[in-house]
Amino acid sequence: MKDRFMAGFISGVIGGTIASLIDIFLVNNLSFGTTRYIDFASVIELGKTVEGWGEAIFAQLGQSLFSGFLGIGYAYLLKWTGGNYPKSKALIYAAGTWFLIFASVRIGRIPNLPKNVPLSTSMENYIAALIFGLITSYVFTKLNKDEAQSG
């Protein structure tokens, strides 16, 4: 794909959606953590945490679109820093954005989200962020294989 912006967006949407589904599985099925990515998105979009399928789908859509914007950032990070070590850069980018988003939520004291989160929630969201980074990197590399081969 010759359009870096769109390749980044598509990569981020795919990476974010898969990471979010893993996040939901870890919280809902394994009770690892308490606050899912869709809960953060729902509070931003609706002012409250998810209640029901309709709200969950709407929150997931918002979370996936936000991940698409993060994917655009990753695409241009690679352009500005060179294409070497894309997976390492994706992990660093994902960890950094996870920290900034968590810090923003805490500093902003967003209502309807817990003031203190258990360690398991932070760990689970961090793991999902790293999964987002790896998948986004993988998809972006596949979409940009022509650009990578031409230099």
Side-chain angles (χ1 to χ4, degrees):
M1 177 175 275
K2 295 186 181 203
D3 189 322
R4 179 173 289 275
F5 183 95
M6 289 307 297
F9 182 77
I10 292 167
S11 301
V13 167
I14 293 170
T17 301
I18 292 171
S20 184
L21 293 174
I22 291 169
D23 171 65
I24 291 167
F25 176 80
L26 289 172
V27 173
N28 291 0
N29 295 54
L30 302 180
S31 298
F32 184 52
T34 57
T35 307
R36 305 160 300 184
Y37 283 174
I38 61 170
D39 293 320
F40 287 103
S42 180
V43 168
I44 300 299
E45 295 169 0
L46 304 171
K48 63 186 182 99
T49 55
V50 169
E51 295 175 13
W53 281 101
E55 291 180 2
I57 291 168
F58 186 70
Q60 181 58 56
L61 177 63
Q63 193 280 327
S64 294
L65 291 174
F66 179 73
S67 295
F69 292 120
L70 292 177
I72 293 166
Y74 171 72
Y76 285 96
L77 172 73
L78 281 185
K79 182 177 182 176
W80 297 324
T81 62
N84 296 330
Y85 310 106
K87 289 183 187 85
S88 296
K89 290 176 183 177
L91 289 173
I92 294 166
Y93 179 73
T97 55
W98 168 83
F99 185 82
L100 290 174
I101 292 166
F102 248 66
S104 298
V105 168
R106 304 224 6 110
I107 291 168
R109 295 187 178 127
I110 296 176
N112 297 325
L113 288 175
K115 291 180 183 174
N116 298 311
V117 296
L119 176 61
S120 62
T121 296
S122 290
M123 289 173 54
E124 181 273 321
N125 282 187
Y126 182 70
I127 290 166
L130 296 178
I131 291 168
F132 160 77
L134 288 174
I135 293 171
T136 299
S137 173
Y138 176 80
V139 173
F140 185 78
T141 301
K142 290 295 182 190
L143 290 175
N144 273 338
K145 65 182 174 189
D146 295 334
E147 183 179 316
Q149 290 171 353
S150 67

